[in-house]
Amino acid sequence: MRIVSLLPSTTEILFAIGAGDDVVGVTFECDHPEEARDRRIVSTSAMPEGLTPREIDEYVVDAMRSGEDLYHLDAGALAGLDADLVVTQDLCAVCAVDVSVVDDALAHLGCTADVLTCDPHTLDEVLESIVALGRATGREDEAVALVAAQRDRLAAVRARVAGRDRPRVVLLEWTDPPFAPGHWIPEMIELAGGECVLGTAGEKSVRTTWEAVTDARPDLIVLAPCGYDRAGAQELADDVVRRGRLPAGVPVHAVDANASWARPGTRLVDGIEELAAVLHP
């Protein structure tokens, strides 16, 4: 099988279930595992490099308002790969190539590849997507085993934090403007033994205000800006602290959003374990 993965999370999953050798095309963001960087890149960002968080937000808002794509799909590269399966999403136009763009490109090329859409909104749906990818690639046994191992780790965290006081946690998916979390992230906070006081599980992330962050009376603020690794998140955390945006005296913890929070892949459990250790050392 020849697979094109248009999501960093599904690339990560495909390698984790043993289908990495079948992956022939990826996006410019597919950086885990390291071998993924050797595959042909078929999707790139339309966004200029070097923008600040505020400029990125303004660019995305303008692009969405005008109906412009945020990603470029290289139809020529896609055609040359002769894919049997293309994995994409219909969850967030800001996160990756939309499935409608993929369908149009395949139709234009006369390509008969199957298209698998992965759109998890919750943690259970993330785990279900691993099994779905395993089923589609002939790696169902490996996928089921991986999910079982992940559920065992989640159960261990749940047992460790059971009965403890739950610190109030504000996690921000963006800083300028601030965004409260949605999808699987509030669940991750709860599983780690915290109380997510902004954001709703299973729903979209939403714009909030610094006043709302203060009014939420957090015991901990977690910075997990979408698209940033830990070093980048720490820079943004230092900036918002320096500008006095956050309530005084509340600790701030910057995380690797790409690895363990924003992407619905195999490493979300890493993020839960890390936060549990911070909340309940």
Side-chain angles (χ1 to χ4, degrees), residues 142-210:
E142 293 91 334
V144 169
L146 175 58
V147 169
Q150 298 236 309
R151 290 195 183 278
D152 285 346
R153 291 169 62 189
L154 291 174
V157 175
R158 190 180 291 110
R160 192 167 80 243
V161 304
R164 301 193 181 194
D165 291 338
R166 289 183 167 269
R168 296 169 62 83
V169 178
V170 166
L171 183 144
L172 296 177
E173 291 190 25
W174 203 247
T175 59
D176 195 6
F179 267 75
H183 300 121
W184 48 87
I185 287 181
E187 290 180 85
M188 293 176 65
I189 294 170
E190 298 291 331
L191 282 166
E195 178 187 357
C196 183
V197 291
L198 286 180
T200 304
E203 301 295 332
K204 293 181 178 180
S205 58
V206 294
R207 289 175 184 260
T208 186
T209 64
W210 295 114

Side-chain angles (χ1 to χ4, degrees), residues 7-10 12-14 16-17 91 116-134 143-144 146-148 150-151 154 182-188 191 202 259-270 272:
L7 296 166
S9 58
T10 55
E12 173 183 323
I13 292 168
L14 288 164
I17 62 175
L91 177 68
L116 176 62
T117 304
C118 292
D119 291 327
H121 291 72
T122 67
L123 196 56
D124 271 343
E125 290 177 358
V126 172
L127 297 177
E128 289 166 7
S129 74
I130 295 175
V131 177
L133 280 164
V144 169
L146 175 58
V147 169
Q150 298 236 309
R151 290 195 183 278
L154 291 174
H183 300 121
W184 48 87
I185 287 181
E187 290 180 85
M188 293 176 65
L191 282 166
S260 308
W261 292 87
R263 298 175 179 175
T266 60
R267 293 180 290 168
L268 294 183
V269 181
D270 295 348
I272 294 169

Side-chain angles (χ1 to χ4, degrees), residues 15-221:
F15 276 86
I17 62 175
D21 288 345
D22 297 332
V23 176
V24 294
V26 297
T27 80
F28 73 106
E29 292 180 307
C30 293
D31 53 10
H32 183 83
E34 187 67 26
E35 306 95 278
R37 294 180 178 273
D38 297 332
R39 303 322 193 250
R40 184 179 300 181
I41 294 175
V42 299
S43 171
T44 57
S45 175
M47 192 180 307
E49 295 183 0
L51 300 182
T52 66
R54 169 62 68 175
E55 291 169 338
I56 291 173
D57 179 73
E58 291 172 348
Y59 183 93
V60 169
V61 169
D62 289 344
M64 299 298 291
R65 184 183 297 122
S66 60
E68 296 178 8
D69 293 329
L70 292 171
Y71 294 87
H72 295 311
L73 183 62
D74 187 338
L78 187 60
L81 291 175
D82 191 25
D84 302 302
L85 176 68
V86 178
V87 185
T88 185
Q89 58 93 47
D90 197 22
L91 177 68
C92 175
V94 178
C95 296
V97 177
D98 189 86
V99 65
S100 62
V101 175
V102 177
D103 288 340
D104 290 345
L106 293 178
H108 175 72
L109 296 169
C111 180
T112 58
D114 292 329
V115 177
L116 176 62
T117 304
C118 292
D119 291 327
H121 291 72
T122 67
L123 196 56
D124 271 343
E125 290 177 358
V126 172
L127 297 177
E128 289 166 7
S129 74
I130 295 175
V131 177
L133 280 164
R135 191 176 301 119
T137 59
R139 301 279 181 169
E140 186 169 5
D141 289 347
E142 293 91 334
V144 169
L146 175 58
V147 169
Q150 298 236 309
R151 290 195 183 278
D152 285 346
R153 291 169 62 189
L154 291 174
V157 175
R158 190 180 291 110
R160 192 167 80 243
V161 304
R164 301 193 181 194
D165 291 338
R166 289 183 167 269
R168 296 169 62 83
V169 178
V170 166
L171 183 144
L172 296 177
E173 291 190 25
W174 203 247
T175 59
D176 195 6
F179 267 75
H183 300 121
W184 48 87
I185 287 181
E187 290 180 85
M188 293 176 65
I189 294 170
E190 298 291 331
L191 282 166
E195 178 187 357
C196 183
V197 291
L198 286 180
T200 304
E203 301 295 332
K204 293 181 178 180
S205 58
V206 294
R207 289 175 184 260
T208 186
T209 64
W210 295 114
E211 290 79 7
V213 171
T214 299
D215 292 344
R217 296 180 291 107
D219 299 304
L220 176 71
I221 295 171

